[in-house]
Coordinates of all heavy atoms in Angstrom, one line a residue:
V834 N 84.1 -4.7 -40.5 CA 84.8 -4.8 -39.2 C 85.2 -3.4 -38.8 O 86.1 -2.7 -39.4 CB 86.1 -5.6 -39.4 CG1 86.8 -5.8 -38.1 CG2 85.8 -6.9 -40.1
P835 N 84.6 -2.8 -37.7 CA 85.0 -1.6 -37.1 C 86.4 -1.7 -36.4 O 86.6 -2.7 -35.7 CB 83.9 -1.2 -36.2 CG 83.3 -2.5 -35.8 CD 83.5 -3.4 -36.9
I836 N 87.3 -0.8 -36.6 CA 88.6 -0.9 -36.1 C 89.0 0.4 -35.3 O 89.0 1.5 -35.9 CB 89.6 -1.1 -37.2 CG1 89.3 -2.4 -38.0 CG2 91.1 -1.2 -36.7 CD1 89.9 -2.5 -39.4
C837 N 89.3 0.2 -34.0 CA 89.6 1.4 -33.1 C 88.6 2.5 -33.4 O 89.0 3.6 -33.5 CB 91.0 1.8 -33.4 SG 92.3 0.6 -33.1
A838 N 87.3 2.1 -33.4 CA 86.3 3.0 -33.9 C 85.6 3.7 -32.7 O 85.1 3.1 -31.8 CB 85.2 2.3 -34.7
T839 N 85.7 5.1 -32.7 CA 85.1 5.9 -31.7 C 83.6 5.9 -32.0 O 83.1 5.6 -33.1 CB 85.6 7.3 -31.7 OG1 85.3 7.9 -32.9 CG2 87.1 7.3 -31.5
P840 N 82.7 6.3 -31.1 CA 81.3 6.4 -31.4 C 81.0 7.3 -32.6 O 80.1 7.0 -33.4 CB 80.7 7.0 -30.1 CG 81.6 6.5 -29.0 CD 83.0 6.6 -29.6
D841 N 81.7 8.5 -32.7 CA 81.5 9.3 -33.9 C 81.9 8.6 -35.1 O 81.2 8.8 -36.2 CB 82.3 10.6 -33.7 CG 81.7 11.6 -32.7 OD1 80.5 11.4 -32.3 OD2 82.4 12.5 -32.2
A842 N 83.0 7.9 -35.1 CA 83.4 7.2 -36.3 C 82.4 6.1 -36.6 O 82.1 5.9 -37.8 CB 84.8 6.5 -36.0
V843 N 81.9 5.4 -35.6 CA 80.9 4.3 -35.9 C 79.7 4.9 -36.6 O 79.1 4.3 -37.6 CB 80.5 3.6 -34.6 CG1 79.3 2.7 -34.9 CG2 81.6 2.8 -34.1
R844 N 79.2 6.1 -36.2 CA 78.1 6.7 -36.8 C 78.4 7.1 -38.3 O 77.6 6.9 -39.2 CB 77.7 8.0 -36.1 CG 76.9 7.7 -34.8 CD 76.3 8.9 -34.2 NE 77.3 9.8 -33.6 CZ 77.7 9.7 -32.3 NH1 77.2 8.7 -31.5 NH2 78.7 10.4 -31.8
A845 N 79.6 7.5 -38.5 CA 80.0 7.8 -39.9 C 80.1 6.6 -40.8 O 79.7 6.6 -41.9 CB 81.4 8.6 -39.9
F846 N 80.6 5.5 -40.2 CA 80.7 4.2 -40.9 C 79.3 3.7 -41.2 O 79.1 3.1 -42.3 CB 81.6 3.2 -40.2 CG 83.0 3.6 -40.0 CD1 83.7 3.3 -38.8 CD2 83.7 4.3 -41.0 CE1 85.1 3.6 -38.7 CE2 85.0 4.6 -40.9 CZ 85.7 4.3 -39.7
A847 N 78.4 3.8 -40.3 CA 77.1 3.3 -40.5 C 76.4 4.1 -41.6 O 75.7 3.5 -42.5 CB 76.2 3.4 -39.2
D848 N 76.6 5.4 -41.7 CA 76.0 6.2 -42.7 C 76.6 5.7 -44.1 O 75.8 5.6 -45.1 CB 76.4 7.7 -42.5 CG 75.6 8.4 -41.4 OD1 74.6 7.8 -41.0 OD2 76.1 9.4 -40.9
R849 N 77.9 5.5 -44.2 CA 78.4 5.0 -45.4 C 77.9 3.7 -45.8 O 77.6 3.4 -47.0 CB 80.0 5.0 -45.3 CG 80.6 4.8 -46.7 CD 82.1 4.9 -46.6 NE 82.7 4.9 -48.0 CZ 83.0 6.0 -48.7 NH1 82.9 7.2 -48.1 NH2 83.4 5.9 -49.9
A850 N 77.8 2.8 -44.8 CA 77.3 1.4 -45.1 C 75.9 1.4 -45.6 O 75.5 0.7 -46.5 CB 77.5 0.6 -43.8
R851 N 75.1 2.3 -45.0 CA 73.7 2.4 -45.5 C 73.6 2.9 -46.9 O 72.8 2.4 -47.7 CB 72.9 3.4 -44.6 CG 72.4 2.7 -43.3 CD 71.4 3.6 -42.6 NE 71.9 4.9 -42.2 CZ 72.4 5.2 -41.0 NH1 72.3 4.2 -40.1 NH2 72.9 6.3 -40.7
R852 N 74.5 3.8 -47.3 CA 74.5 4.3 -48.6 C 74.9 3.3 -49.7 O 74.4 3.2 -50.8 CB 75.4 5.6 -48.7 CG 74.9 6.8 -48.0 CD 75.6 8.1 -48.5 NE 77.0 8.0 -48.3 CZ 77.7 8.4 -47.2 NH1 77.0 8.8 -46.2 NH2 79.0 8.3 -47.1
T853 N 76.0 2.5 -49.3 CA 76.5 1.5 -50.2 C 75.7 0.3 -50.3 O 75.7 -0.5 -51.2 CB 77.9 1.1 -49.8 OG1 78.0 0.6 -48.5 CG2 78.8 2.4 -49.9
G854 N 74.9 0.0 -49.2 CA 74.1 -1.2 -49.1 C 74.9 -2.4 -48.6 O 76.1 -2.3 -48.6
R855 N 74.2 -3.4 -48.1 CA 74.9 -4.5 -47.5 C 75.6 -5.4 -48.5 O 74.9 -5.9 -49.4 CB 74.0 -5.4 -46.6 CG 74.7 -6.5 -45.9 CD 73.8 -7.2 -44.9 NE 72.9 -8.1 -45.6 CZ 73.1 -9.3 -46.1 NH1 74.3 -9.8 -46.0 NH2 72.1 -10.0 -46.6
R856 N 76.9 -5.5 -48.4 CA 77.7 -6.4 -49.3 C 78.3 -7.5 -48.5 O 78.9 -8.4 -49.1 CB 78.8 -5.6 -50.0 CG 78.2 -4.4 -50.8 CD 79.3 -3.6 -51.4 NE 78.9 -2.4 -52.1 CZ 79.6 -1.4 -52.6 NH1 80.9 -1.5 -52.3 NH2 79.1 -0.4 -53.2
C857 N 78.3 -7.4 -47.2 CA 79.0 -8.4 -46.3 C 78.1 -9.5 -45.9 O 76.9 -9.4 -45.9 CB 79.6 -7.7 -45.1 SG 78.3 -6.9 -44.1
S858 N 78.7 -10.6 -45.5 CA 78.0 -11.7 -44.9 C 78.0 -11.7 -43.4 O 77.2 -12.4 -42.7 CB 78.6 -13.1 -45.3 OG 80.0 -13.2 -44.9
S859 N 78.7 -10.8 -42.8 CA 78.7 -10.6 -41.3 C 79.3 -9.3 -40.9 O 80.0 -8.6 -41.7 CB 79.5 -11.7 -40.6 OG 80.9 -11.6 -40.9
I860 N 78.9 -8.8 -39.7 CA 79.6 -7.7 -39.1 C 80.3 -8.3 -37.9 O 79.7 -9.1 -37.1 CB 78.6 -6.6 -38.6 CG1 77.7 -6.1 -39.7 CG2 79.3 -5.5 -37.9 CD1 76.6 -5.2 -39.3
V861 N 81.6 -8.0 -37.7 CA 82.3 -8.7 -36.6 C 83.4 -7.7 -36.1 O 84.0 -7.0 -36.9 CB 82.9 -10.0 -37.0 CG1 83.9 -9.8 -38.2 CG2 83.6 -10.7 -35.8
G862 N 83.6 -7.7 -34.8 CA 84.6 -6.8 -34.2 C 84.5 -6.7 -32.7 O 83.6 -7.4 -32.1
P863 N 85.2 -5.8 -32.1 CA 85.1 -5.6 -30.7 C 83.7 -5.3 -30.3 O 83.0 -4.6 -31.0 CB 86.0 -4.4 -30.4 CG 87.1 -4.5 -31.5 CD 86.3 -5.0 -32.7
A864 N 83.2 -5.9 -29.2 CA 81.8 -5.9 -28.9 C 81.1 -4.5 -28.9 O 80.0 -4.3 -29.5 CB 81.5 -6.6 -27.6
E865 N 81.7 -3.5 -28.2 CA 81.0 -2.3 -28.0 C 80.8 -1.5 -29.3 O 79.7 -1.1 -29.7 CB 81.8 -1.4 -27.0 CG 81.1 -0.1 -26.7 CD 81.8 0.7 -25.6 OE1 82.6 0.1 -24.8 OE2 81.5 1.9 -25.4
P866 N 81.8 -1.3 -30.1 CA 81.6 -0.6 -31.4 C 80.7 -1.4 -32.4 O 80.0 -0.8 -33.2 CB 83.0 -0.3 -32.0 CG 83.9 -1.2 -31.3 CD 83.3 -1.4 -29.9
T867 N 80.9 -2.7 -32.4 CA 80.1 -3.5 -33.2 C 78.6 -3.5 -32.9 O 77.7 -3.4 -33.7 CB 80.6 -5.0 -33.2 OG1 82.0 -5.0 -33.6 CG2 79.8 -5.9 -34.2
A868 N 78.3 -3.5 -31.6 CA 76.9 -3.4 -31.1 C 76.3 -2.0 -31.6 O 75.2 -2.0 -32.0 CB 76.9 -3.5 -29.6
Q869 N 77.1 -0.9 -31.4 CA 76.6 0.4 -31.8 C 76.4 0.4 -33.3 O 75.4 0.9 -33.8 CB 77.6 1.5 -31.5 CG 77.1 2.9 -31.9 CD 78.2 3.9 -31.7 OE1 79.4 3.6 -31.3 NE2 77.9 5.2 -32.1
L870 N 77.3 -0.2 -34.1 CA 77.2 -0.2 -35.6 C 75.9 -1.0 -36.0 O 75.2 -0.6 -36.8 CB 78.4 -0.9 -36.2 CG 78.6 -0.9 -37.7 CD1 78.5 0.5 -38.3 CD2 79.8 -1.6 -38.1
W871 N 75.7 -2.1 -35.3 CA 74.5 -2.9 -35.6 C 73.2 -2.2 -35.2 O 72.2 -2.3 -36.0 CB 74.6 -4.3 -35.0 CG 73.4 -5.1 -35.2 CD1 72.6 -5.8 -34.3 CD2 72.8 -5.5 -36.5 NE1 71.6 -6.5 -34.8 CE2 71.7 -6.3 -36.2 CE3 73.1 -5.2 -37.8 CZ2 70.9 -6.8 -37.2 CZ3 72.3 -5.7 -38.8 CH2 71.2 -6.5 -38.5
R872 N 73.2 -1.5 -34.1 CA 72.0 -0.7 -33.8 C 71.6 0.3 -34.8 O 70.4 0.5 -35.1 CB 72.2 0.0 -32.4 CG 72.1 -0.9 -31.2 CD 72.0 -0.1 -29.9 NE 73.1 0.8 -29.7 CZ 74.2 0.4 -29.0 NH1 74.3 -0.8 -28.5 NH2 75.2 1.3 -28.8
L873 N 72.7 0.9 -35.4 CA 72.4 1.9 -36.4 C 72.0 1.3 -37.8 O 71.3 1.9 -38.6 CB 73.7 2.8 -36.6 CG 74.0 3.6 -35.4 CD1 75.4 4.3 -35.6 CD2 73.0 4.7 -35.2
L874 N 72.5 0.1 -38.1 CA 72.3 -0.6 -39.4 C 71.1 -1.5 -39.4 O 70.5 -1.7 -40.4 CB 73.5 -1.4 -39.8 CG 74.7 -0.5 -40.2 CD1 75.9 -1.4 -40.5 CD2 74.4 0.3 -41.4
E875 N 70.7 -2.0 -38.2 CA 69.6 -3.0 -38.1 C 68.3 -2.5 -38.8 O 67.7 -3.3 -39.5 CB 69.3 -3.4 -36.7 CG 68.3 -4.5 -36.6 CD 68.1 -5.0 -35.2 OE1 68.6 -4.3 -34.2 OE2 67.5 -6.0 -35.0
P876 N 67.9 -1.3 -38.7 CA 66.6 -0.9 -39.3 C 66.7 -1.0 -40.8 O 65.6 -1.2 -41.5 CB 66.5 0.6 -38.9 CG 67.2 0.7 -37.6 CD 68.4 -0.2 -37.8
N877 N 67.9 -0.9 -41.4 CA 68.0 -1.0 -42.9 C 68.5 -2.4 -43.3 O 68.1 -2.9 -44.4 CB 69.0 0.0 -43.4 CG 68.6 1.4 -43.1 OD1 68.9 2.0 -42.1 ND2 67.8 2.0 -44.0
W878 N 69.3 -3.0 -42.5 CA 69.9 -4.3 -42.9 C 69.3 -5.5 -42.2 O 69.5 -6.7 -42.7 CB 71.4 -4.3 -42.5 CG 72.2 -3.5 -43.4 CD1 71.8 -2.5 -44.4 CD2 73.7 -3.5 -43.5 NE1 72.9 -2.0 -45.0 CE2 74.0 -2.6 -44.5 CE3 74.6 -4.2 -42.9 CZ2 75.4 -2.3 -44.9 CZ3 76.0 -4.0 -43.2 CH2 76.3 -3.1 -44.2
G879 N 68.5 -5.3 -41.2 CA 67.9 -6.4 -40.4 C 66.8 -7.1 -41.2 O 66.3 -6.6 -42.2
P880 N 66.3 -8.2 -40.7 CA 66.9 -8.9 -39.5 C 68.1 -9.8 -39.9 O 68.3 -10.2 -41.0 CB 65.7 -9.8 -39.1 CG 65.0 -10.2 -40.4 CD 65.1 -8.9 -41.2
A881 N 68.9 -10.0 -38.9 CA 70.1 -10.8 -39.0 C 69.7 -12.3 -38.8 O 68.7 -12.6 -38.1 CB 71.2 -10.5 -38.0
R882 N 70.4 -13.2 -39.4 CA 70.2 -14.6 -39.2 C 70.6 -15.0 -37.8 O 69.9 -15.9 -37.2 CB 71.0 -15.4 -40.2 CG 70.8 -16.9 -40.1 CD 71.5 -17.6 -41.3 NE 72.9 -17.3 -41.5 CZ 73.9 -17.9 -40.8 NH1 73.6 -18.8 -39.9 NH2 75.1 -17.5 -41.0
D883 N 71.6 -14.4 -37.2 CA 72.1 -14.7 -35.9 C 72.9 -13.5 -35.4 O 73.6 -12.9 -36.1 CB 72.9 -16.0 -35.8 CG 73.1 -16.5 -34.4 OD1 72.5 -16.0 -33.5 OD2 74.0 -17.4 -34.3
V884 N 72.7 -13.2 -34.1 CA 73.5 -12.2 -33.4 C 74.2 -12.8 -32.2 O 73.5 -13.3 -31.3 CB 72.6 -11.0 -33.0 CG1 73.5 -9.9 -32.2 CG2 72.0 -10.3 -34.2
R885 N 75.5 -12.8 -32.2 CA 76.3 -13.3 -31.1 C 76.9 -12.1 -30.4 O 78.0 -11.6 -30.8 CB 77.3 -14.3 -31.6 CG 76.6 -15.5 -32.3 CD 77.5 -16.5 -32.9 NE 76.7 -17.5 -33.7 CZ 77.2 -18.5 -34.3 NH1 78.6 -18.7 -34.3 NH2 76.5 -19.4 -34.9
A886 N 76.2 -11.6 -29.4 CA 76.5 -10.3 -28.8 C 77.8 -10.3 -27.9 O 78.4 -9.3 -27.7 CB 75.3 -9.8 -28.0
H887 N 78.1 -11.5 -27.4 CA 79.3 -11.5 -26.5 C 80.1 -12.8 -26.7 O 79.7 -13.9 -26.4 CB 78.8 -11.5 -25.0 CG 79.9 -11.4 -24.0 ND1 80.5 -10.2 -23.7 CD2 80.5 -12.4 -23.3 CE1 81.4 -10.5 -22.8 NE2 81.5 -11.7 -22.5
Q888 N 81.2 -12.6 -27.4 CA 82.1 -13.7 -27.7 C 83.5 -13.4 -27.0 O 84.2 -12.5 -27.5 CB 82.3 -13.8 -29.2 CG 81.0 -14.2 -29.9 CD 81.2 -14.1 -31.4 OE1 81.5 -13.0 -32.0 NE2 81.0 -15.2 -32.1
P889 N 83.7 -14.0 -25.9 CA 84.9 -13.7 -25.1 C 86.2 -13.8 -26.0 O 86.4 -14.8 -26.7 CB 84.9 -14.7 -24.0 CG 83.5 -15.0 -23.8 CD 82.9 -15.0 -25.1
L890 N 87.0 -12.8 -25.9 CA 88.3 -12.7 -26.5 C 89.4 -13.2 -25.5 O 89.4 -12.7 -24.4 CB 88.7 -11.3 -27.0 CG 90.1 -11.1 -27.6 CD1 90.3 -11.9 -28.9 CD2 90.3 -9.6 -27.8
M891 N 90.1 -14.3 -25.9 CA 91.0 -14.9 -25.0 C 92.5 -14.9 -25.5 O 92.6 -15.0 -26.7 CB 90.6 -16.4 -24.7 CG 89.1 -16.5 -24.3 SD 88.6 -18.2 -24.0 CE 89.3 -18.5 -22.4
V892 N 93.4 -14.8 -24.6 CA 94.8 -14.7 -25.1 C 95.7 -15.6 -24.1 O 95.3 -15.8 -23.0 CB 95.4 -13.3 -25.1 CG1 94.6 -12.4 -26.0 CG2 95.5 -12.7 -23.7
T893 N 96.9 -15.9 -24.6 CA 97.9 -16.5 -23.8 C 99.3 -16.2 -24.5 O 99.4 -16.0 -25.7 CB 97.7 -18.1 -23.7 OG1 98.7 -18.6 -22.7 CG2 97.9 -18.8 -25.0
E894 N 100.3 -16.2 -23.6 CA 101.6 -16.0 -24.1 C 102.6 -17.1 -23.8 O 103.8 -17.1 -24.0 CB 102.2 -14.7 -23.5 CG 101.4 -13.4 -23.8 CD 100.4 -13.2 -22.7 OE1 100.3 -13.9 -21.7 OE2 99.6 -12.2 -22.9
Q895 N 102.0 -18.2 -23.2 CA 102.9 -19.3 -22.8 C 102.2 -20.7 -22.9 O 100.9 -20.7 -23.0 CB 103.4 -19.1 -21.4 CG 102.2 -19.0 -20.4 CD 102.7 -18.6 -19.0 OE1 103.9 -18.3 -18.8 NE2 101.9 -18.7 -18.0
L896 N 103.0 -21.7 -23.0 CA 102.4 -23.1 -23.0 C 101.8 -23.5 -21.6 O 102.4 -23.0 -20.6 CB 103.5 -24.1 -23.4 CG 103.9 -24.0 -24.9 CD1 105.1 -24.9 -25.1 CD2 102.8 -24.4 -25.8
P897 N 100.8 -24.3 -21.6 CA 100.3 -24.7 -20.3 C 101.3 -25.6 -19.6 O 102.0 -26.4 -20.2 CB 99.0 -25.5 -20.7 CG 99.3 -26.0 -22.1 CD 100.1 -24.9 -22.7
A898 N 101.3 -25.5 -18.2 CA 102.3 -26.3 -17.5 C 101.8 -27.7 -17.3 O 102.6 -28.6 -17.0 CB 102.5 -25.6 -16.1
D899 N 100.5 -27.9 -17.3 CA 100.0 -29.2 -16.9 C 99.1 -29.9 -18.0 O 98.4 -30.8 -17.8 CB 99.1 -29.1 -15.7 CG 98.0 -28.1 -15.8 OD1 98.0 -27.4 -16.9 OD2 97.2 -27.9 -14.9
V900 N 99.3 -29.5 -19.3 CA 98.6 -30.1 -20.4 C 99.7 -30.5 -21.4 O 100.4 -29.6 -22.0 CB 97.6 -29.3 -21.1 CG1 96.9 -30.0 -22.3 CG2 96.5 -28.9 -20.1
E901 N 99.9 -31.8 -21.7 CA 100.9 -32.2 -22.6 C 100.4 -32.1 -24.0 O 99.4 -32.6 -24.4 CB 101.3 -33.7 -22.3 CG 102.5 -34.2 -23.0 CD 103.8 -33.5 -22.5 OE1 103.8 -33.1 -21.4 OE2 104.8 -33.5 -23.3
P902 N 101.2 -31.4 -24.9 CA 100.7 -31.3 -26.3 C 100.6 -32.7 -26.9 O 101.5 -33.6 -26.7 CB 101.9 -30.5 -26.9 CG 102.5 -29.8 -25.8 CD 102.4 -30.7 -24.6
D903 N 99.6 -32.9 -27.7 CA 99.4 -34.1 -28.4 C 100.5 -34.3 -29.5 O 100.5 -33.5 -30.4 CB 98.0 -34.1 -29.1 CG 97.6 -35.5 -29.8 OD1 98.5 -36.3 -30.0 OD2 96.4 -35.7 -30.0
P904 N 101.3 -35.3 -29.4 CA 102.4 -35.4 -30.4 C 101.9 -35.8 -31.8 O 102.7 -35.7 -32.7 CB 103.3 -36.5 -29.8 CG 102.3 -37.3 -28.9 CD 101.3 -36.4 -28.4
R905 N 100.7 -36.2 -31.9 CA 100.2 -36.6 -33.2 C 99.5 -35.4 -34.0 O 99.1 -35.6 -35.1 CB 99.2 -37.7 -33.1 CG 99.9 -39.1 -32.7 CD 98.9 -40.1 -32.3 NE 98.4 -39.9 -31.0 CZ 97.6 -40.7 -30.3 NH1 97.2 -41.9 -30.9 NH2 97.2 -40.5 -29.1
V906 N 99.4 -34.3 -33.3 CA 99.0 -33.1 -34.0 C 100.1 -32.5 -34.8 O 101.2 -32.2 -34.2 CB 98.4 -32.0 -33.0 CG1 98.1 -30.7 -33.8 CG2 97.1 -32.6 -32.4
R907 N 100.0 -32.3 -36.1 CA 101.1 -31.9 -36.9 C 100.5 -30.9 -38.0 O 99.3 -30.7 -38.2 CB 101.7 -33.0 -37.6 CG 100.8 -33.9 -38.5 CD 101.5 -34.9 -39.3 NE 100.6 -35.7 -40.1 CZ 100.1 -35.4 -41.2 NH1 100.4 -34.2 -41.8 NH2 99.2 -36.2 -41.9
R908 N 101.5 -30.2 -38.7 CA 101.1 -29.3 -39.7 C 100.6 -30.1 -41.0 O 101.2 -31.1 -41.3 CB 102.4 -28.5 -40.1 CG 102.1 -27.4 -41.1 CD 103.4 -26.6 -41.4 NE 103.5 -25.5 -40.3 CZ 104.4 -25.5 -39.4 NH1 105.3 -26.5 -39.3 NH2 104.5 -24.5 -38.5
I909 N 99.5 -29.6 -41.5 CA 99.0 -30.3 -42.7 C 99.7 -29.9 -44.0 O 100.1 -28.8 -44.2 CB 97.5 -29.9 -42.9 CG1 96.7 -30.5 -41.7 CG2 96.9 -30.5 -44.2 CD1 96.8 -32.0 -41.5
R910 N 100.0 -30.9 -44.8 CA 100.8 -30.7 -46.0 C 99.8 -30.3 -47.2 O 98.6 -30.6 -47.1 CB 101.6 -31.9 -46.4 CG 102.6 -32.4 -45.4 CD 103.4 -33.6 -45.8 NE 102.6 -34.8 -45.9 CZ 102.4 -35.6 -44.9 NH1 103.1 -35.4 -43.7 NH2 101.7 -36.7 -45.0
K911 N 100.4 -29.6 -48.2 CA 99.6 -29.2 -49.3 C 98.9 -30.3 -50.0 O 97.8 -30.1 -50.5 CB 100.5 -28.4 -50.3 CG 101.1 -27.1 -49.7 CD 101.9 -26.4 -50.8 CE 102.5 -25.1 -50.2 NZ 103.4 -24.4 -51.2
N912 N 99.5 -31.5 -50.1 CA 98.9 -32.6 -50.8 C 97.8 -33.3 -49.9 O 97.3 -34.3 -50.3 CB 99.9 -33.6 -51.2 CG 100.6 -34.3 -50.1 OD1 100.4 -33.9 -48.9 ND2 101.5 -35.2 -50.5
E913 N 97.5 -32.7 -48.7 CA 96.5 -33.3 -47.9 C 95.2 -32.5 -47.8 O 94.4 -32.6 -46.9 CB 97.0 -33.5 -46.5 CG 98.2 -34.5 -46.4 CD 98.7 -34.6 -45.0 OE1 99.1 -33.6 -44.4 OE2 98.8 -35.8 -44.5
L914 N 95.0 -31.6 -48.8 CA 93.9 -30.7 -48.8 C 92.6 -31.5 -48.8 O 91.6 -31.1 -48.1 CB 94.0 -29.7 -50.0 CG 93.0 -28.5 -49.9 CD1 93.2 -27.7 -48.7 CD2 93.2 -27.7 -51.2
D915 N 92.5 -32.6 -49.6 CA 91.3 -33.4 -49.7 C 91.0 -34.1 -48.4 O 89.8 -34.4 -48.1 CB 91.4 -34.4 -50.8 CG 91.4 -33.8 -52.2 OD1 91.0 -32.6 -52.3 OD2 91.8 -34.5 -53.1
V916 N 92.0 -34.3 -47.6 CA 91.8 -35.0 -46.3 C 91.3 -34.0 -45.3 O 90.3 -34.4 -44.5 CB 93.2 -35.6 -45.8 CG1 93.0 -36.2 -44.4 CG2 93.7 -36.6 -46.7
I917 N 91.8 -32.8 -45.2 CA 91.3 -31.9 -44.2 C 90.0 -31.2 -44.6 O 89.3 -30.7 -43.7 CB 92.5 -30.8 -44.0 CG1 92.2 -30.1 -42.6 CG2 92.6 -29.8 -45.1 CD1 92.4 -31.0 -41.4
M918 N 89.7 -31.1 -45.8 CA 88.6 -30.2 -46.2 C 87.2 -30.7 -45.6 O 86.4 -29.8 -45.2 CB 88.5 -30.2 -47.8 CG 87.4 -29.3 -48.3 SD 87.6 -27.5 -47.8 CE 89.0 -27.1 -48.8
P919 N 86.9 -32.0 -45.6 CA 85.6 -32.4 -45.0 C 85.5 -31.9 -43.5 O 84.4 -31.5 -43.1 CB 85.6 -33.9 -45.1 CG 86.5 -34.2 -46.3 CD 87.6 -33.2 -46.2
A920 N 86.6 -32.0 -42.8 CA 86.6 -31.5 -41.4 C 86.4 -30.0 -41.3 O 85.6 -29.5 -40.4 CB 87.8 -31.9 -40.7
C921 N 87.0 -29.3 -42.2 CA 86.8 -27.8 -42.3 C 85.3 -27.5 -42.6 O 84.7 -26.6 -42.0 CB 87.7 -27.2 -43.3 SG 89.5 -27.3 -43.0
V922 N 84.7 -28.2 -43.5 CA 83.3 -27.9 -43.9 C 82.4 -28.3 -42.7 O 81.5 -27.5 -42.4 CB 82.9 -28.7 -45.1 CG1 81.4 -28.7 -45.4 CG2 83.7 -28.3 -46.3
A923 N 82.7 -29.4 -42.0 CA 81.9 -29.8 -40.9 C 82.0 -28.7 -39.8 O 81.0 -28.4 -39.1 CB 82.3 -31.1 -40.3
M924 N 83.2 -28.2 -39.5 CA 83.4 -27.2 -38.5 C 82.6 -25.9 -38.8 O 81.9 -25.4 -38.0 CB 84.9 -26.9 -38.3 CG 85.2 -25.8 -37.3 SD 85.0 -24.1 -37.9 CE 86.0 -24.1 -39.4
F925 N 82.8 -25.5 -40.0 CA 82.1 -24.2 -40.5 C 80.6 -24.3 -40.4 O 79.9 -23.4 -39.8 CB 82.5 -23.9 -41.9 CG 82.1 -22.6 -42.4 CD1 82.9 -21.5 -42.4 CD2 80.8 -22.4 -42.9 CE1 82.5 -20.2 -42.9 CE2 80.3 -21.1 -43.3 CZ 81.2 -20.1 -43.3
T926 N 80.1 -25.4 -40.8 CA 78.6 -25.6 -40.8 C 78.1 -25.7 -39.4 O 77.1 -25.1 -39.1 CB 78.3 -26.9 -41.6 OG1 78.8 -26.9 -42.9 CG2 76.8 -27.1 -41.6

Side-chain angles (χ1 to χ4, degrees):
V834 187
I836 300 158
C837 299
T839 66
D841 286 344
V843 170
R844 284 189 287 271
F846 293 145
D848 287 343
R849 189 176 192 96
R851 279 193 295 265
R852 291 196 304 270
T853 59
R855 183 174 72 81
R856 303 171 182 174
C857 59
S858 59
S859 68
I860 305 171
V861 59
E865 186 173 342
T867 302
Q869 181 191 0
L870 186 59
W871 177 232
R872 284 194 299 270
L873 294 169
L874 289 175
E875 185 176 11
N877 300 91
W878 285 14
R882 182 171 54 83
D883 193 10
V884 176
R885 301 175 183 182
H887 185 82
Q888 298 172 297
L890 174 64
M891 308 181 76
V892 302
T893 187
E894 300 90 4
Q895 58 189 8
L896 290 172
D899 55 355
V900 177
E901 190 68 24
D903 186 339
R905 287 170 285 187
V906 171
R907 59 172 177 83
R908 185 175 278 109
I909 296 301
R910 298 183 290 270
K911 293 180 182 180
N912 64 356
E913 295 177 307
L914 193 60
D915 289 345
V916 177
I917 197 68
M918 186 60 69
C921 294
V922 171
M924 177 282 304
F925 187 100
T926 304

